[in-house]
Amino acid sequence: MSEKTIPYKIYLEENEMPKQWYNVRADMKNKPAPLMNPATHKPMTIEELSQVFCTELAAQELDDTTPYIDIPQEISDFYKMYRPSPLVRAYCLEKALGTPAKIYYKFEGNNTSGSHKLNSAIAQAYYAKKQGLKGVTTETGAGQWGTALSMACAYLGLDCDVYMVKCSYEQKPFRREVMRTYGANVTPSPSNKTAVGRKILEEFPGTTGSLGCAISEAVEAATTREGYRYVLGSVLSQVLLHQSVIGLETMTACDKYGINPDIIIGCAGGGSNLGGLISPFMGRKLRGEADYKFIAVEPASCPSLTRGKYAYDFCDTGMVCPLQKMYTLGSGFIPSANHAGGLRYHGMSGVVSQLYDDGLIDAVSVEQTSVFAAAQKFARIEGILPAPESSHAIKVAIDEAMKCKETDEEKTIVFGLTGTGYFDMVAYQKFNDGEMSDYIPTDEEIAKSLAKLPKIN
Ligand SMILES: *Cc1c(COP(=O)(O)O)cnc(C)c1O
């Protein structure tokens, strides 16, 4: 197919939309290590997991063998409200960079929650509803996940209790109000609503909270009340499964127009958008059908893949969640106070961790001032105001395109543009005022945090 027939923005037709999610674990030779019970150090059974998660989601979490899982009709119907998301050729950026590379981005910011998180929020809320539950509990940091889940719960008529990291609750009042508009109960964490919250407050009075701590509170709020389960917006294998819709749409669009990506780039917080975007392409690579270079981009201030350890660790500060083997900085790791935007989780998806450990994914870390410089450039050239998280991928896509310019190579680069940055203007303001700085944790700081990893043989 000739260049000219490729639209500037590729939207799939309705009959081209994925009808099944793709489970990359089915094609992985080395499966991610099993979740472990924190008390017994034995692999979590479906019964144990079902006390925390909806039963069907617990089954998806443990399913390492089924390659394709049907997307229920109700979820497909919801997806239709904001999907397909466009695969956009960044012509203006290519021109501004003077690169022979072709740059495409898959844009997930075209829904009110402003990010890809809605893809899994609706799936998790659906299975909760189907199980006859009253509601779900969760944590949110920057607020995108809480917003996405609020939207999904409003649609299905479920209660939605969100524990929001206290500093975000105070710094992002508009995010909070969006969630409340969709009917969620939003509690700043740590709170005195839960035993674990009260304990943390006693130990660290005046703490502004952390994701790990909010997770502990949300899990407690789910497991101590009838009719509630806990849901999580990233890290888990089930979330990567739901997010595979991003990669499946991207692959169908690429195949339809004869686009052959050489490099696929995603930002990595807990690994869900990256995992979702690359999954179907990784499947081809694992089956020996094609080859791609995958790049995970993480903040230099929270470098779990590039400087963490591959080990079993707690997913939360309260140490109530199952243990997961992952690249981690230690569950007590909290990025420095000047870290501005998202991607602040101490660990990484078990699937992404295993793929990285097997050398199938590359990872780089970038400093936030360079990320915001890339974000500003992208906004001015391509028009979209990107989320700081997404801008990590933009930064590395630009770097790769500039390498192509040096070597005069016409590579095709695809990156995930996970969301918009309208609620991140305090961080943008800091950058615009020249007041943003970088902090890279020292080896000693990381070692100190890793020393507290659980001892598992
Ligand atoms: C949550 C979020 C991320 C990071 O989460 P992953 O699970 O690593 O995908 C990235 N971008 C945006 C816009 C987000 O909201």
Side-chain angles (χ1 to χ4, degrees), residues 8-174:
Y8 162 63
K9 277 187 183 179
I10 306 175
Y11 285 101
L12 298 182
E13 304 291 334
E14 211 169 300
N15 63 6
E16 296 168 324
M17 297 291 287
K19 295 184 178 57
Q20 296 173 311
W21 293 300
Y22 169 64
N23 180 9
V24 70
R25 287 170 284 167
D27 281 311
M28 289 169 67
K29 248 194 248 120
N30 299 325
K31 309 290 183 197
L35 294 173
M36 282 225 268
N37 184 313
T40 63
H41 290 185
K42 296 234 169 71
M44 293 289 287
T45 62
I46 183 131
E47 291 75 25
E48 287 169 331
L49 267 188
S50 302
Q51 288 161 23
V52 181
F53 303 125
C54 307
T55 311
E56 190 119 4
L57 291 167
Q60 291 180 0
E61 195 60 34
L62 297 177
D63 188 341
D64 286 348
T65 52
T66 311
Y68 289 96
I69 294 176
D70 286 343
I71 303 176
Q73 188 59 47
E74 292 87 337
I75 298 176
S76 286
D77 289 344
F78 186 87
Y79 280 168
K80 277 179 204 156
M81 292 200 286
Y82 69 101
R83 309 204 68 82
S85 71
L87 181 67
V88 187
R89 175 87 181 261
Y91 282 111
C92 300
L93 182 62
E94 290 170 15
K95 197 166 152 208
L97 299 175
T99 175
K102 296 180 186 130
I103 308 173
Y104 293 85
Y105 59 88
K106 180 74 170 163
F107 181 48
E108 292 291 317
N110 266 336
N111 68 75
T112 302
S113 78
S115 83
H116 65 286
K117 295 212 172 61
L118 198 52
N119 301 330
S120 184
I122 186 60
Q124 297 192 47
Y126 167 81
Y127 290 114
K129 180 80 182 178
K130 197 175 155 212
Q131 194 171 322
L133 299 178
K134 286 195 206 107
V136 291
T137 71
T138 198
E139 76 297 329
T140 199
Q144 289 96 322
W145 167 245
T147 309
L149 189 68
S150 307
M151 288 174 70
C153 287
Y155 180 76
L156 294 167
L158 281 172
D159 282 357
C160 181
D161 289 347
V162 180
Y163 287 82
M164 185 170 189
V165 179
K166 193 179 275 169
C167 63
S168 299
Y169 183 90
E170 283 157 5
Q171 282 169 13
K172 295 191 161 184
F174 294 152

Side-chain angles (χ1 to χ4, degrees), residues 380-403:
R380 291 180 184 180
I381 296 170
E382 286 284 325
I384 292 172
L385 181 76
E389 294 91 336
S390 324
S391 305
H392 288 71
I394 297 176
K395 156 76 180 139
V396 170
I398 292 176
D399 289 350
E400 290 296 324
M402 293 311 286
K403 280 187 211 160

Side-chain angles (χ1 to χ4, degrees), residues 114-117 144 234 267-274 343 387 389-390 418-419:
S115 83
H116 65 286
K117 295 212 172 61
Q144 289 96 322
S234 181
C267 63
S272 75
N273 87 82
L274 171 80
L343 310 183
E389 294 91 336
S390 324
T418 50

